[in-house]
Amino acid sequence: MNDDEKGLNDVTDRKAKAAVIGVGLIGEQHAESYFENPRAELVMVCDMNPERARAVGERFGVPWTADMDDVGKSEAEIVSVATPDHAHCSPVLAMLDAGKHIVVEKPLATVTEEALRMVNLANRKNLMMTVNLGNRWNPTYTNIRDSVQSGEIGNPVMTYSRTSDTIWVPRKMLSWAGRSGPQWFLFAHTMDLVRWIIGQEAHEVYAIGEKKILKSEGIDAYDAIQAMVRFDDSFATFETSWIVPEAFPHIVESLLTLNGSNGRIQLDGANGGFELSSDQVGKHMYARPSLWTYFKLPYTWWGALRNMVDCVLDGGEPAITAADGLRVVAMIEAMERSIETRQPVTIDSRLKA
Ligand SMILES: NC(=O)c1ccc[n+]([C@@H]2O[C@H](COP(=O)([O-])OP(=O)(O)OC[C@H]3O[C@@H](n4cnc5c(N)ncnc54)[C@H](O)[C@@H]3O)[C@@H](O)[C@H]2O)c1
């Protein structure tokens, strides 16, 4: 019996077939990630804008369509959904109905009720769904998490996280900025990261935010938000702004300080690496690698996509679960509610919405 008859080649050579819905700035990169992954085969791209679908389809030499039903009928096993923040739910539900595993861009949704519908349908259909929170493969953050989880700063006590964009992002980069905001666009990353690094869940939030400068330009989004969050056994302040001046030399600004019972970690994303001061193990050091090197590594920024391909081929659960995505949506929605009501809001109450 040869290898083909034994089915061995089927196992070793099999590629997971993937398609992408919404091939704008980020969806085109999803298509590229599947195209370049030796374990995947890009089989179709879709965008409601046919010119965009055609351009990306022709770039990778694959069929393109403006009708997502074509993706549902295609042989794709995995579908990436990279439509704007507020437009993830209907393509995700349609693709789950069609029996596809899902990689959805962050945030999973901008309404907890929509996120719940997606998670429930994925569970009912026994399909995998993950959220592209690529920072979980960023070596700077994996090193920070390893340090915290190995006890180098003792027990987490207080965290400070600030991630902001220059005003260029809502003004020029995102045509749909007024239907999202820095909370959905940026807190989706930082809230997930802090949960993951400290290994604790968030339960209550009090937040203040202001809509003034962007609103005066016709963009209905928060200029800036500050939120205090109570976790299982620690607390955190999250800040974000969409009005950092264009003169600032980076599009994104990221700062993170983790204060523990016996040490501290501090990261300034612009400088790369992080600073660890630990009485626990008696050291003060600057740890590498830099934040920017991860863009060049296939298993880093696009780790969630590669992870889904590996799960389809090898079995196992995605590293970022649908429940992670849901939890982050509930945190952000509770924060919005707190801004509106000027009261602390219980995050779990959102999960029961
Ligand atoms: N993981 C990250 O680091 C990261 C970074 C930036 C953006 N994002 C996320 O990626 C998503 C897309 O952002 P973007 O900057 O690429 O936006 P974009 O506006 O450049 O692209 C969105 C595309 O989706 C298409 N589209 C909209 N609704 C559709 C539908 N129902 N069916 C098919 N196509 C549809 C649009 O025509 C457009 O081409 C957002 O959720 C955003 O937050 C993630």
Side-chain angles (χ1 to χ4, degrees):
M1 194 186 281
N2 64 30
D3 279 356
D4 277 340
E5 283 162 341
K6 288 183 211 151
L8 282 181
N9 287 339
D10 285 345
V11 174
T12 49
D13 297 343
R14 193 168 104 68
K15 292 179 184 229
K17 294 183 168 58
V20 183
I21 296 180
V23 281
L25 188 68
I26 295 299
E28 180 170 6
Q29 294 176 48
H30 281 233
E32 184 175 21
S33 169
Y34 293 123
F35 185 78
E36 288 186 345
N37 183 344
R39 305 197 79 199
E41 182 187 349
L42 180 67
V43 295
M44 187 174 280
V45 296
C46 168
D47 199 290
M48 67 193 298
N49 172 353
E51 287 316 309
R52 192 65 204 154
R54 180 206 300 270
V56 178
E58 286 178 354
R59 176 180 164 201
F60 296 108
V62 297
W64 58 271
T65 179
D67 180 353
M68 71 180 170
D69 286 350
D70 293 337
V71 181
K73 288 179 204 138
S74 77
E75 52 184 347
E77 298 156 272
I78 301 168
V79 176
S80 269
V81 173
T83 49
D85 290 353
H86 60 275
H88 291 168
C89 188
S90 76
V92 166
L93 293 179
M95 291 306 115
L96 287 170
D97 266 332
K100 314 297 188 189
H101 301 293
I102 303 290
V103 177
V104 58
E105 260 306 336
K106 45 58 53 172
L108 177 57
T110 55
V111 187
T112 307
E113 200 269 332
E114 287 188 355
L116 274 167
R117 281 170 64 200
M118 294 185 232
V119 172
N120 289 340
L121 185 58
N123 288 341
R124 252 198 336 271
K125 293 248 175 190
N126 206 15
L127 291 164
M128 292 182 283
M129 181 162 71
T130 193
V131 184
N132 183 30
L133 292 159
N135 277 309
R136 287 215 199 175
W137 281 267
N138 174 336
T140 300
Y141 291 118
T142 58
N143 285 334
I144 288 175
R145 182 172 187 264
D146 288 348
S147 176
V148 172
Q149 293 290 322
S150 68
E152 281 184 314
I153 64 165
N155 297 319
V157 174
M158 175 177 75
T159 300
Y160 170 80
S161 160
R162 177 161 103 215
T163 295
S164 299
D165 283 334
T166 65
I167 198 165
W168 175 85
V169 169
R171 262 188 194 149
K172 311 260 172 61
M173 189 180 115
L174 301 174
S175 59
W176 38 269
R179 302 199 61 186
S180 179
Q183 72 276 30
W184 297 111
F185 199 68
L186 297 172
F187 276 161
H189 280 300
T190 53
M191 299 210 152
D192 176 70
L193 271 180
V194 170
R195 289 173 66 240
W196 179 67
I197 288 170
I198 66 176
Q200 294 185 19
E201 237 16 296
H203 298 288
E204 189 184 26
V205 57
Y206 177 69
I208 300 176
E210 179 101 275
K211 285 187 180 181
K212 205 183 263 176
I213 294 162
L214 292 170
K215 202 154 189 180
S216 75
E217 299 187 16
I219 300 166
D220 184 16
Y222 284 104
D223 299 328
I225 299 172
Q226 197 164 50
M228 292 172 74
V229 178
R230 189 183 301 281
F231 282 83
D232 291 335
D233 191 27
S234 67
F235 55 94
T237 300
F238 292 88
E239 273 180 24
T240 189
S241 158
W242 252 4
I243 56 162
V244 175
E246 289 195 39
F248 188 69
H250 308 276
I251 296 172
V252 188
E253 179 201 35
S254 280
L255 302 175
L256 177 67
T257 306
L258 294 143
N259 294 282
S261 54
N262 217 7
R264 187 184 77 163
I265 283 173
Q266 189 143 294
L267 165 73
D268 177 347
N271 296 335
F274 64 92
E275 183 186 5
L276 169 67
S277 314
S278 174
D279 291 338
Q280 190 89 13
V281 288
K283 67 182 176 189
H284 177 88
M285 60 181 280
Y286 288 90
R288 292 289 180 269
S290 128
L291 251 176
W292 298 108
T293 53
Y294 68 90
F295 279 117
K296 303 192 179 73
L297 305 173
Y299 271 91
T300 54
W301 192 247
W302 301 109
L305 281 68
R306 292 198 164 234
N307 178 229
M308 179 60 91
V309 167
D310 293 344
C311 287
V312 165
L313 294 177
D314 306 333
E317 280 290 300
I320 299 172
T321 63
D324 288 318
L326 172 63
R327 196 80 209 181
V328 171
V329 172
M331 284 174 78
I332 302 171
E333 197 183 66
M335 188 174 302
E336 288 185 330
R337 187 65 57 92
S338 176
I339 295 171
E340 287 158 18
T341 61
R342 300 187 171 212
Q343 298 294 325
V345 172
T346 305
I347 292 160
D348 306 306
S349 69
R350 302 284 86 214
L351 283 166
K352 293 180 194 115

